[in-house]
């Protein structure tokens, strides 16, 4: 069954895409939750017209996302945490802490889009990945220091 996604759905697609899914998944979950509509011929025609109108806007969004990825690559953030006498961190560094540090640096990134490679429980320099826009990812380095 083909459906038109109204919202981004993890591991399925982005808003505005037409994707094929099993009928039960579409009828029982995606459509009732408001994530999608059934892709009839009229919906497909309307979607094609919308895509033509959005083409130049999409190019600008991609350019902005690539600029943000380049700006992120230049960043080296410092995240201050509480540390024991042995050098271990109380707890671990989270994506929420990184989102706050990025916001303080003037970059508005949602914590859900930040991926930390593993649990960070020691001081040092690490790298995190960021999902910026459809298929465009960025990375930045951050240093974990004691308060």
């Amino acid at each position: 069954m083909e459906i038109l996604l109204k919202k981004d759905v993890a591991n399925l697609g982005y808003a505005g895409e037409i994707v094929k899914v099993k009928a039960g998944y579409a009828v029982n979950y995606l459509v009732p939750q408001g994530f999608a509509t059934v892709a009839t011929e009229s919906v497909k025609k309307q979607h094609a017209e919308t895509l033509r109108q959005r083409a130049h806007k999409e190019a600008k969004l991609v350019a902005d996302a690539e600029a943000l990825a380049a700006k992120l690559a230049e960043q080296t953030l410092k995240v201050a945490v509480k540390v024991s006498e042995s050098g271990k961190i109380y707890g671990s560094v989270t994506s929420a802490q990184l989102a706050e540090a990025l916001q303080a640096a003037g970059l508005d990134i949602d914590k859900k889009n930040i991926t930390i490679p593993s649990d960070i429980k020691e001081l040092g320099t690490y790298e995190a990945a960021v999902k910026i826009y459809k298929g465009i990812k960025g990375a930045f380095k951050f240093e974990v220091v004691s308060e």
Side-chain angles (χ1 to χ4, degrees), residues 61-77:
L61 289 173
V62 168
D64 290 346
E66 289 173 348
L68 181 60
K71 195 182 284 188
L72 271 174
E74 297 170 359
Q75 292 289 327
T76 301
L77 301 174

Side-chain angles (χ1 to χ4, degrees), residues 62-137:
V62 168
D64 290 346
E66 289 173 348
L68 181 60
K71 195 182 284 188
L72 271 174
E74 297 170 359
Q75 292 289 327
T76 301
L77 301 174
K78 290 188 188 264
V79 179
V81 293
K82 292 184 179 180
V83 180
S84 67
E85 293 84 27
S86 63
K88 295 281 186 182
I89 296 174
Y90 292 118
S92 64
V93 177
T94 63
S95 59
Q97 290 172 308
L98 294 177
E100 288 175 14
L102 283 169
Q103 198 163 25
L107 300 169
D108 190 27
I109 305 281
D110 189 14
K111 69 180 180 180
K112 295 175 190 172
N113 295 330
I114 299 173
T115 305
I116 303 172
S118 62
D119 286 342
I120 299 171
K121 298 192 175 270
E122 295 180 359
L123 300 177
T125 304
Y126 301 92
E127 188 168 311
V130 178
K131 248 189 342 186
I132 299 173
Y133 190 67
K134 299 177 183 178
I136 299 174
K137 296 182 180 180

Side-chain angles (χ1 to χ4, degrees), residues 31-45:
V31 174
Q33 294 292 327
F35 293 131
T37 57
V38 177
T40 61
E41 288 303 316
S42 63
V43 169
K44 288 180 183 178
K45 286 180 184 177

